[in-house]
Amino acid sequence: MDQSASGAEAPSGLPATLKKFEQRFQQFLDQTTPYHKERWAGAGVLFLLYVVRVWLIAAYYIVTYSLGIYLLNLFLAFLTPKFDPAMEGDNEDDGLALPVKAEDDFKPFIRRLPEFKFWYWATRGVATAFLCTFFPIFDVPVFWPILVIYFLILFGLTMKQRIKHMMKYKYLPWTVKPDYTSGGGAKSG
């Protein structure tokens, strides 16, 4: 029987190679999931290589500025709860909002952007910016001190707004472990 007649023909050539690469890459990502420190160390090394390259060639400031804005956007999504208490009317029925009163039940902090996706997209952004430094078309001449000042102002204002939001709704986007050694925790026996 002819394979093309039955429709069970296996893909070959470039589509098959791409599919195989995607599967291996996904397998690599799945294997790295439990290694938080190692993943972030690798991302940090890649970012450091990028910074050294930009510093040494003294160019690609607009790429660096774009990377900074992108990383700031990812960081803000990482700090933001998935179910924002400011939008209380939108999620009353699902029961997943953060508690805003002392008598409310505890609900875990669920991030809008989970840590793994934050790492993945940040690493991908740094790798893309690093790749852009090899193409002169991305070296747009700019007066970099203005970009630095604008980025610092933008960072300050957005972080101030995010911290006010955290204080207003009394949540922390990270886990604070109780101190059982100082006598403030649960007593045994």
Side-chain angles (χ1 to χ4, degrees), residues 110-166:
I110 302 170
R111 299 178 188 283
R112 180 170 288 162
L113 182 67
E115 181 270 336
F116 184 82
K117 287 185 179 182
F118 178 37
W119 166 79
Y120 176 73
W121 288 107
T123 305
R124 190 171 171 176
V126 172
T128 302
F130 190 77
L131 185 64
C132 286
T133 63
F134 292 99
F135 298 100
I137 194 168
F138 295 112
D139 187 16
V140 179
V142 293
F143 187 60
W144 66 267
I146 291 176
L147 292 180
V148 171
I149 291 170
Y150 183 65
F151 178 79
L152 291 175
I153 290 170
L154 186 65
F155 178 79
L157 291 175
T158 54
M159 289 310 294
K160 179 182 175 185
Q161 181 267 338
R162 183 54 36 203
I163 291 169
K164 280 184 177 180
H165 189 272
M166 289 179 201

Side-chain angles (χ1 to χ4, degrees), residues 14-94:
L14 186 61
T17 305
L18 287 175
K19 184 75 170 168
K20 196 173 202 177
F21 174 77
E22 287 174 3
Q23 289 173 345
R24 287 191 180 174
F25 184 68
Q26 186 61 49
Q27 183 180 16
F28 168 75
L29 289 177
D30 293 342
Q31 290 171 348
T32 61
T33 301
Y35 302 105
H36 301 281
K37 292 177 184 174
E38 292 83 356
R39 283 189 286 115
W40 283 104
V45 167
L46 183 62
F47 183 73
L48 186 63
L49 287 172
Y50 172 78
V51 169
V52 167
R53 174 157 171 76
V54 169
W55 183 299
L56 290 176
I57 60 178
Y60 297 96
Y61 299 121
I62 197 73
V63 173
T64 304
Y65 175 74
S66 301
L67 176 64
I69 296 295
Y70 180 69
L71 293 177
L72 177 62
N73 186 28
L74 288 176
F75 184 62
L76 289 174
F78 178 71
L79 291 178
T80 305
K82 186 172 186 177
F83 306 104
D84 194 350
M87 307 296 173
E88 191 173 319
D90 294 344
N91 59 5
E92 278 184 17
D93 298 333
D94 61 12

